[in-house]
Amino acid sequence: MLHFIRRDATRREILLFIFVLIAMSVLYGTPRLFSLGFSWAFLIELGVDCLIMTMACLPIWWLHFRKMSKIPIKRRFALHLFTALIYYALWVLLYYFYNKAVGLPIMTRQQVFQNIGPNLLFYVQVFSSLHIDLFFREREQQLLREQALRELAHKGEISALKAQIQPHFLFNTLNSISASLPHEQEPTRILIARLADTFRYALQSTQQEKVPLSQELEFMVTYLSLEQARFGKRLQIDIQSFPEAEQVEIPPMLLQPLVENAIKHGIEPSIAGGFVHIKCKRELNKTHIIIENTGQPYRGNLDDIFNGEGVGLKNTAKRLAHEFNEKLHISRNEQGCLKIDFYVSN
């Protein structure tokens, strides 16, 4: 799908570039056409100029719209101050070789300076048009993602991540169980309280679109403490986060299926158990979240993880794609166990 989107974007950019190139060439050539009249020499000169401007623009287009497409737009605009000079240097260099090859006089220093204005104006017009087109394309994709996310929510495809039981019945039952326990079973009472906290957070998540990452991590501590009661010393927890990363907002219950997957494939089948690592850090203007485990190495095909019967990873991948236009990456770490990571933006 991404391949077709990229191919369609390239086609649009090429057509837009050709339109701007023709329009600017006609405008620049009109005064000379009226003063000297039409001739094949004029047409050839115009064609050569268009070809050289196109060749000089290609590496700049590739740099801004392919190589550095993920960089914030403000930085790319600042970069244009530098790449505009590169464009003009390429234009002068290409004309130098062309004139030398066909036996025309080499441009003088004065001619080089005289052509700076028209060429930089052409550069501004071309890349302004491309950036405007990119803005509208990204806006259109964002609207489509938002529409798809609404449809996803309406169809209940993410309902597996949210509480589906009557809250009053649940909490009243848990309170009754907790109250009936003798004092000697205080650890069990604590587990019930933590279980109530997990259900309460799951219930609240049905009413919130996003929560701070710090709040999600607090929930993961509660959830993993319940899992530790089941696995004992076989499950060790390591959560690393930084204050600047914890401010980002993410959809609630986003991490739970990923951590559950780490326990299922790494801790549960291992006699010795292992660690579940959660790491959140800032990289450029995004937050990088990594969830990996030690324990039992994963022997299966990584692609089959998304094709299993479970819906947790599938729904998480869909939520990331629709909310942040980001992918859920699955790989093996140094121990051969699973490593899942993704990026979220502010």
Side-chain angles (χ1 to χ4, degrees):
M1 181 65 179
L2 183 61
H3 172 73
F4 290 111
I5 293 175
R6 177 61 59 83
R7 188 171 63 182
D8 181 63
T10 301
R11 185 186 299 114
R12 285 182 56 160
E13 288 166 356
I14 290 175
L15 292 175
L16 181 60
F17 174 82
I18 292 175
F19 172 78
V20 176
L21 181 67
I22 293 175
M24 295 304 301
S25 298
V26 170
L27 291 175
Y28 290 151
T30 298
R32 182 175 175 181
L33 182 63
F34 279 110
S35 61
L36 301 178
F38 176 82
S39 66
W40 286 110
F42 166 77
L43 190 61
I44 293 174
E45 181 180 344
L46 186 63
V48 168
D49 198 37
C50 289
L51 178 61
I52 289 178
M53 286 192 294
T54 300
M55 294 173 64
C57 278
L58 278 176
I60 311 301
W61 164 80
W62 176 83
L63 180 66
H64 280 275
F65 291 87
R66 292 297 177 266
K67 182 66 175 179
M68 308 184 74
S69 59
K70 298 295 184 181
I71 292 179
I73 192 66
K74 290 182 179 180
R75 294 188 181 183
R76 289 163 64 191
F77 279 155
L79 184 62
H80 274 297
L81 299 175
F82 176 67
T83 54
L85 299 178
I86 295 179
Y87 158 77
Y88 187 62
L90 289 173
W91 185 86
V92 172
L93 188 64
L94 289 170
Y95 252 114
Y96 170 81
F97 287 114
Y98 171 76
N99 290 342
K100 193 173 182 180
V102 299
L104 293 175
I106 305 300
M107 280 193 295
T108 64
R109 182 177 300 178
Q110 181 179 0
Q111 289 175 321
V112 170
F113 281 105
Q114 286 175 343
N115 282 286
I116 289 180
N119 273 276
L120 292 184
L121 179 59
F122 169 76
Y123 179 95
V124 170
Q125 291 165 330
V126 165
F127 287 99
S128 294
S129 301
L130 291 176
H131 278 295
I132 291 172
D133 177 67
L134 176 63
F135 170 80
F136 282 106
R137 280 191 284 116
E138 289 180 342
R139 178 59 180 165
E140 183 180 359
Q141 292 174 9
Q142 178 65 24
L143 292 175
L144 291 175
R145 285 195 298 268
E146 291 175 358
Q147 181 181 357
L149 187 61
R150 287 193 295 269
E151 293 175 356
L152 188 65
H154 288 315
K155 292 178 181 178
E157 291 186 16
I158 61 174
S159 62
L161 302 176
K162 299 183 176 181
Q164 297 287 323
I165 54 181
Q166 273 291 342
H168 296 295
F169 171 78
L170 169 67
F171 295 129
N172 289 339
T173 302
L174 291 176
N175 289 333
S176 299
I177 295 174
S178 179
S180 66
L181 292 174
H183 181 71
E184 293 78 13
Q185 295 187 4
E186 183 64 20
T188 304
R189 194 191 306 272
I190 293 175
L191 287 178
I192 293 176
R194 290 175 178 172
L195 180 61
D197 288 339
T198 61
F199 278 109
R200 186 175 291 107
Y201 183 82
L203 177 64
Q204 291 174 351
S205 71
T206 64
Q207 304 167 357
Q208 295 176 279
E209 293 185 0
K210 290 185 179 181
V211 297
L213 177 58
S214 58
Q215 185 174 326
E216 184 81 354
L217 291 176
E218 290 177 4
F219 168 70
M220 294 315 306
V221 171
T222 303
Y223 168 75
L224 286 169
S225 67
L226 290 173
E227 294 287 12
Q228 277 184 318
R230 179 160 68 109
F231 291 102
K233 294 181 179 180
R234 291 173 58 205
L235 174 59
Q236 302 295 318
I237 303 169
D238 175 35
I239 299 179
Q240 300 178 28
S241 183
F242 301 92
E244 60 271 19
E246 294 181 356
Q247 301 304 315
V248 68
E249 293 193 342
I250 63 173
M253 301 289 287
L254 188 70
L255 304 185
Q256 188 274 335
L258 307 181
V259 173
E260 181 182 355
N261 184 80
I263 295 174
K264 174 182 177 182
H265 292 289
I267 309 302
E268 187 172 342
S270 173
I271 297 177
F275 272 87
V276 171
H277 300 279
I278 303 176
K279 187 173 184 179
C280 309
K281 57 182 180 179
R282 291 291 290 176
E283 294 180 4
L284 295 177
N285 289 330
K286 295 184 178 181
T287 298
H288 190 191
I289 299 177
I290 304 169
I291 298 174
E292 59 180 325
N293 61 269
T294 60
Q296 180 71 31
Y298 185 76
R299 307 297 184 188
N301 190 333
L302 295 179
D303 295 333
D304 292 340
I305 296 178
F306 285 108
N307 300 325
E309 296 180 356
V311 298
L313 289 182
K314 296 177 185 178
N315 283 339
T316 301
K318 289 181 180 179
R319 297 176 81 185
L320 282 173
H322 291 308
E323 288 281 358
F324 303 104
N325 195 25
E326 296 286 349
K327 289 185 177 181
L328 189 68
H329 302 283
I330 300 182
S331 58
R332 288 184 174 89
N333 57 21
E334 295 178 356
Q335 293 78 27
C337 299
L338 289 176
K339 175 183 177 181
I340 301 178
D341 71 294
F342 57 92
Y343 290 88
V344 294
S345 55
N346 291 337

